[in-house]
């Protein structure tokens, strides 16, 4: 029997190999650096550096760009709550991409791109659902208080504060809780825990994905990059105005944590470049070094921004400015739970949020001593200068 079966299997294996060759390109292992690390710099184009044998870019993170565009539409819609009544149903539909909620038709047709599914995705199913419910709760509050935008907010009274900030009776600006919260729950989590995580980084790196010119592992790395920026270099200045940058959301804030504030945006970009080159070079040790660097420095950047907001809040006496800064900072305190190292984990984050929001009158009765308490705990956890202020 063996003499009959073995040749048959051999023929089948040959046919299978032949079939795969039509669908995929086999990428040979090599001990040489196909992309020398010394060729990478802060001006290296992420798009044009990683190319196939025909010179075509192998970078594709269109799905991340699509979700960022959805995020942007949600953000823009929430801002209309200062002049009109928001719909919690519409916000939920935008969060879940149901019932054609976006003004951009291409987003409605991208039915496989859903923000809610990518929110707290690395958490257990139960905990992920709890985090998603947080945002749904914010949507309901926005609908309620946006109907009161014709009145002036004061302690115990929702409305517009300073003529432009929509807050509830406790001074909470939910627009900021949502915006900064999603930077952590979607963007930071997707980068550090999902795409740079063990599952995605165990993907195949020997053949190209069917119909594509990149391997699955290369693609996962690019998807992580796509949640930080859509640009070919990071951070990218506006060609029309050198005083401005083209970064937004998480990438926009990480950029602001410069070396003077203890950050390293250029180093983060170089780590993305080097990690991608390491995948091409089949150098997993170097790739893993970049993952560790990115996780540590992205988390530290978010923590630095949170500390900065606490400091800026303490310097403000006008309630409209003070509560706006504090709402942004509160959103970043929440975002910290989604970091990979999570020095401020879910439990600790809830503890700090309770200090910030747990008083009977909320922000109206919060003292600078309360803010110092939160600030110091974050700064101590990360070894950050307590007095740091970022130019945001």
């Amino acid at each position: 029997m063996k003499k009959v079966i073995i040749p048959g299997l051999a023929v089948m294996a040959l046919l299978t190999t032949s079939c795969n060759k039509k669908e995929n390109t086999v990428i040979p292992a090599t001990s040489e650096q196909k992309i020398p690390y010394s060729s990478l710099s802060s001006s290296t184009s992420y798009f044009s550096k990683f190319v196939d044998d025909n010179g075509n870019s192998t970078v594709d993170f269109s799905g991340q760009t699509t979700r960022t565009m959805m995020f942007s539409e949600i953000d823009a819609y929430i801002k209309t709550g200062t002049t009109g009544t928001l719909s919690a149903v519409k916000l939920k539909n935008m969060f879940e991409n149901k019932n054609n909620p976006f003004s951009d038709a291409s987003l409605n047709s991208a039915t496989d791109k859903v923000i809610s599914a990518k929110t707290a995705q690395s958490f257990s199913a139960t905990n992920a659902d709890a985090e998603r419910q947080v945002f749904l709760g914010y949507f309901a509050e926005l609908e309620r208080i946006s109907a009161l935008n014709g009145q002036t907010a004061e302690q115990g009274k929702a409305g517009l504060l300073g003529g432009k900030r929509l807050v509830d009776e406790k001074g909470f600006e939910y627009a900021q809780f949502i915006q900064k919260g999603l930077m952590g729950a979607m963007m930071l989590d997707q980068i550090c825990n999902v795409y740079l995580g063990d599952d995605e980084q165990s993907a195949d790196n020997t053949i190209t994905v069917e119909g594509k010119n990149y391997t699955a592992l290369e693609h996962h790395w690019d998807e992580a990059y796509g949640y930080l920026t859509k640009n070919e270099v990071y951070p990218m200045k506006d060609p029309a105005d050198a005083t401005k940058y083209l970064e937004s959301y998480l990438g926009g804030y990480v950029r602001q944590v410069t070396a003077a504030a203890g950050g390293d945006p250029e180093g983060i970009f170089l780590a993305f470049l080097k990690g991608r080159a390491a995948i091409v070079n089949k150098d997993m040790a170097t790739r893993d070094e970049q993952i560790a660097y990115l996780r540590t420095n992205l988390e530290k950047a978010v923590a630095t921004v949170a500390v900065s907001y606490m400091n800026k809040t303490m310097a403000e006496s006008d309630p409209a400015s003070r509560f706006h800064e504090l709402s942004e900072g509160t959103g970043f305190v929440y975002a910290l739970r989604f970091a990979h190292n999570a020095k401020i984990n879910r439990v600790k984050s809830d503890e700090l949020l309770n200090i910030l929001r747990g008083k009977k009158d909320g922000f109206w009765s919060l003292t600078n001593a309360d803010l110092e308490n939160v600030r110091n705990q974050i700064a101590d956890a990360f070894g950050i200068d307590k007095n740091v202020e970022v130019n945001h």
Side-chain angles (χ1 to χ4, degrees):
M1 289 293 290
K2 285 184 177 178
K3 289 181 180 178
V4 175
I5 292 174
I6 290 175
L9 288 174
V11 170
M12 289 182 66
L14 180 62
L15 288 173
T16 301
T17 302
S18 176
C19 183
N20 283 342
K21 282 184 177 178
K22 291 180 180 178
E23 298 170 344
N24 308 102
T25 299
V26 178
I27 299 176
T30 175
S31 60
E32 299 178 354
Q33 287 184 10
K34 188 173 182 180
I35 300 179
Y37 301 126
S38 60
S39 70
L40 306 174
S41 73
S42 59
S43 62
T44 298
S45 169
Y46 194 93
F47 299 160
S48 59
K49 187 66 178 179
F50 307 113
V51 296
D52 63 15
D53 291 341
N54 296 318
N56 300 312
S57 175
T58 59
V59 175
D60 176 16
F61 49 78
S62 56
Q64 286 60 49
T65 301
T66 297
R67 290 188 186 87
T68 301
M69 292 169 66
M70 291 175 175
F71 187 179
S72 181
E73 274 219 23
I74 291 174
D75 199 27
Y77 176 62
I78 289 174
K79 286 183 171 65
T80 68
T82 58
T83 55
T85 301
L86 298 171
S87 164
V89 171
K90 180 178 175 67
L91 284 165
K92 184 173 185 290
N93 284 336
M94 297 173 92
F95 191 50
E96 298 175 347
N97 196 8
K98 293 180 178 176
N99 303 315
N100 301 318
F102 297 106
S103 59
D104 183 338
S106 69
L107 301 182
N108 294 325
S109 61
T111 54
D112 61 335
K113 305 294 183 294
V114 180
I115 286 180
S116 63
K118 298 296 182 180
T119 297
Q121 188 185 7
S122 72
F123 282 18
S124 69
T126 299
N127 288 341
D129 182 63
E131 302 301 341
R132 291 163 189 157
Q133 290 300 321
V134 168
F135 290 97
L136 296 179
Y138 291 161
F139 297 160
E141 278 295 282
L142 276 172
E143 178 179 284
R144 182 183 70 82
I145 64 175
S146 64
L148 304 172
N149 62 25
Q151 63 185 24
T152 299
E154 57 188 49
Q155 187 167 344
K157 185 178 177 182
L160 285 188
L161 194 60
K164 60 181 180 180
R165 306 294 184 193
L166 182 66
V167 301
D168 74 355
E169 293 80 355
K170 296 184 176 182
F172 298 163
E173 189 180 350
Y174 290 95
Q176 296 304 322
F177 293 172
I178 292 169
Q179 189 191 79
K180 275 58 183 182
L182 279 177
M183 290 184 205
M186 182 174 72
M187 294 175 160
L188 188 65
D189 188 52
Q190 287 292 309
I191 294 172
C192 295
N193 299 323
V194 178
Y195 284 113
L196 299 186
D198 291 343
D199 287 346
E200 300 291 11
Q201 288 299 308
S202 297
D204 182 78
N205 194 32
T206 60
I207 60 173
T208 56
V209 176
E210 184 176 345
K212 305 294 183 182
N213 61 350
Y214 48 71
T215 68
L217 184 57
E218 290 171 339
H219 186 48
H220 291 169
W221 190 271
D222 296 340
E223 289 178 301
Y225 180 75
Y227 274 114
L228 182 70
T229 181
K230 64 179 179 180
N231 299 317
E232 62 181 321
V233 297
Y234 176 82
M236 185 170 178
K237 287 190 173 180
D238 184 345
D241 184 350
T243 65
K244 298 178 180 178
Y245 286 85
L246 298 179
E247 309 303 337
S248 62
Y249 297 117
L250 180 64
Y253 281 92
V254 170
R255 176 196 70 75
Q256 295 163 8
V257 186
T258 61
D264 187 13
E266 183 178 289
I268 286 171
F269 179 53
L270 287 171
F272 267 114
L273 285 172
K274 194 171 183 179
R276 181 58 155 82
I279 290 171
V280 175
N281 294 337
K282 306 289 193 288
D283 176 4
M284 296 302 103
T286 298
R287 178 205 61 175
D288 291 346
E289 290 172 2
Q290 310 317 305
I291 290 175
Y293 181 89
L294 288 168
R295 285 170 165 171
T296 297
N297 284 276
L298 287 172
E299 180 182 24
K300 185 178 180 182
V302 173
T304 301
V305 173
V307 168
S308 174
Y309 271 119
M310 295 301 127
N311 285 326
K312 290 199 170 186
T313 299
M314 285 188 276
E316 289 284 357
S317 56
D318 171 59
S321 298
R322 182 177 170 90
F323 295 172
H324 178 66
E325 301 277 3
L326 185 50
S327 293
E328 292 190 84
T330 300
F332 279 113
V333 171
Y334 169 79
L336 279 170
R337 71 184 60 196
F338 299 100
H340 182 78
N341 301 313
K343 291 185 177 180
I344 302 295
N345 62 17
R346 194 165 182 243
V347 172
K348 188 64 180 177
S349 172
D350 280 340
E351 179 186 320
L352 298 180
L353 290 175
N354 188 52
I355 295 172
L356 295 171
R357 301 189 301 201
K359 292 195 173 184
K360 179 176 178 293
D361 293 315
F363 288 171
W364 288 101
S365 51
L366 205 64
T367 68
N368 279 359
D370 296 322
L371 295 170
E372 282 185 0
N373 180 12
V374 172
R375 179 199 66 178
N376 292 349
Q377 291 192 58
I378 298 172
D380 289 345
F382 289 89
I384 297 170
D385 177 2
K386 289 181 174 60
N387 299 310
V388 69
E389 287 197 13
V390 176
N391 186 28
H392 45 66

